[in-house]
Amino acid sequence: MSEPRRMFSICIPAYNRVVHLPVLLDSIYKQSFSNFEIVICEDLSKERPEIAKVVAEYSIRYPGTLRYYENTNNLGYDGNIRNLVNLARGEYCFFMGNDDIMCEGSLAAVSERIKANDNIGFVLKSYAWFDEVPTKINQEVRYFNEEKFLAAGTEAISVCFRRSGVISGFIIHRDTADGAATSEFDGTLYYQMHIVGVVLAKMNAITMPKVLVLCRNSEPPDFGNSASEKGIYTPGTYTPAARINMISGVIRIATALEKQSDLPVTAPIMRDYANYFYPYIRDQLKLPFSDYYKLYRAYGRIGFNKYPMFHAYFIICYCFGANGFDRLTAYIRKTLGRSPHFGSVK
């Protein structure tokens, strides 16, 4: 007789950063809610032996709760996300970045809200950024102050698509997401947006005002090692070309979703990006003005030229700089208790 299906598969794409793995695992095992498994896929990093050793220690301490896989080839970010969904056995995948922390009570809170609503395919999290120690919170990112129900289709996709970009706390219905498996978008670093779009074309979403995860702010990006990422990304940084590739990938995913689902989602998704464009230029604000202007022109050619907020971000952010604009957004979020709402998001 097979054992009952678990509520959550905690999916961890592992690549280096072994120093943070015990803290992450401890934060999961400290949860009051125990109906979960942990699935780790190591993607052929140089720290594989150290990661395997940590996993072995936790497997002994918590028998039967952790499954560990070592990829034969480096699948890259998108491929490893897809691999984890495929290997998961829980009803929902709850993703965690390999250097982040799950907040106390997160699994219980999410489980309660899923059970209280019908046909939930995705949970839109709130989260926080921190430096080095969990008590040093930089910013909380809360999209809504209250729990909201978002109907399947254009409404849910328009609200959740862009806001699913941070992988920690990405919670999605496993079977529907696995049914959308494709390598078409490998190298975009946004495979999760493909599956959230496909899932929300059929299923509803809910929002969680509770901060579910803490995201470490100090680790540089580690993309550019897999076959799908080489020549596009440079480990340790985001080049202007990389940013352009990522946003172009987003539009490609949205366009494919609209064609597949026959839902008018591309325009609202692009407008939503234009209204919140800061994250896609933040790490480029130290460019010489000539290079920054080239980036501005390149984004404009993708289709953002028609949105006034896009132009405003490029001007205001360059004047303020990253630190100045970060302080401004932190003040606004703290004052409102959530991120500001532009356009149709309410």
Side-chain angles (χ1 to χ4, degrees), residues 64-317:
T65 62
L66 196 161
R67 291 188 289 123
Y68 174 65
Y69 300 89
E70 293 182 340
N71 298 337
T72 304
N73 301 310
N74 185 300
L75 300 180
Y77 174 84
D78 300 296
N80 209 18
I81 296 296
R82 182 171 58 256
N83 193 38
L84 280 157
V85 172
N86 178 253
L87 292 168
R89 296 173 184 166
E91 186 177 355
Y92 289 86
C93 294
F94 189 130
F95 277 87
M96 289 297 301
N98 61 358
D99 59 343
D100 297 331
I101 296 172
M102 186 179 291
C103 296
E104 182 178 351
S106 290
L107 294 183
V110 173
S111 173
E112 179 184 348
R113 296 316 304 152
I114 288 175
K115 291 176 180 177
N117 292 276
D118 294 327
N119 192 36
I120 298 303
F122 180 70
V123 179
L124 181 61
K125 66 180 177 291
S126 297
Y127 63 102
W129 293 103
F130 76 96
D131 281 321
E132 299 310 320
V133 290
T135 52
K136 189 181 178 184
I137 302 297
N138 290 329
Q139 281 197 54
E140 290 187 355
V141 181
R142 183 177 289 103
Y143 300 114
F144 299 94
N145 286 331
E146 68 286 345
E147 295 168 354
K148 288 180 69 73
F149 177 89
L150 302 168
T154 304
E155 179 190 17
I157 293 169
S158 299
V159 173
C160 297
F161 190 90
R162 178 185 63 82
R163 294 165 181 82
S164 65
V166 174
I167 195 63
S168 277
F170 179 85
I171 306 162
I172 197 155
H173 187 258
R174 183 267 164 198
D175 292 351
T176 313
D178 190 48
T182 177
S183 60
E184 181 181 355
F185 306 112
D186 285 7
T188 64
L189 305 187
Y190 283 138
Y191 181 77
Q192 69 267 31
M193 293 180 178
H194 159 66
I195 56 176
V196 82
V198 173
V199 168
L200 292 183
K202 309 169 186 176
M203 303 182 73
N204 306 313
I206 52 174
T207 70
M208 293 289 297
K210 171 182 168 58
V211 171
L212 300 179
V213 295
L214 303 181
C215 299
R216 195 177 299 271
N217 201 33
S218 56
E219 290 287 352
D222 213 359
F223 309 117
N225 297 287
S226 70
S228 63
E229 296 170 2
K230 282 182 178 177
I232 304 173
Y233 303 102
T234 302
T237 188
Y238 289 109
T239 65
R243 283 298 188 192
I244 290 294
N245 182 77
M246 292 167 71
I247 296 299
S248 297
V250 163
I251 308 248
R252 187 156 54 91
I253 292 168
T255 302
L257 174 63
E258 181 168 305
K259 183 177 180 181
Q260 175 186 338
S261 65
D262 201 28
L263 292 170
V265 295
T266 304
I269 285 172
M270 286 195 67
R271 183 170 58 250
D272 191 46
Y273 269 86
N275 285 340
Y276 300 89
F277 213 79
Y278 175 58
Y280 317 104
I281 57 174
R282 183 188 184 279
D283 49 20
Q284 308 298 315
L285 293 175
K286 292 184 179 179
L287 288 172
F289 182 77
S290 59
D291 292 336
Y292 186 72
Y293 183 69
K294 289 178 183 176
L295 179 65
Y296 163 70
R297 292 290 301 275
Y299 274 133
R301 286 192 294 270
I302 292 174
F304 289 103
N305 262 336
K306 59 185 175 182
Y307 300 104
M309 285 292 290
F310 162 76
H311 302 285
Y313 273 111
F314 262 87
I315 296 168
I316 295 170
C317 291

Side-chain angles (χ1 to χ4, degrees), residues 14 18 21 25 40 42 45 47-59 66 68-70:
V18 67
L21 185 57
L25 293 176
I40 299 176
E42 200 287 326
S45 71
E47 295 181 20
R48 170 174 282 187
E50 292 84 357
I51 291 172
K53 182 179 178 181
V54 170
V55 170
E57 292 170 355
Y58 277 82
S59 296
L66 196 161
Y68 174 65
Y69 300 89
E70 293 182 340

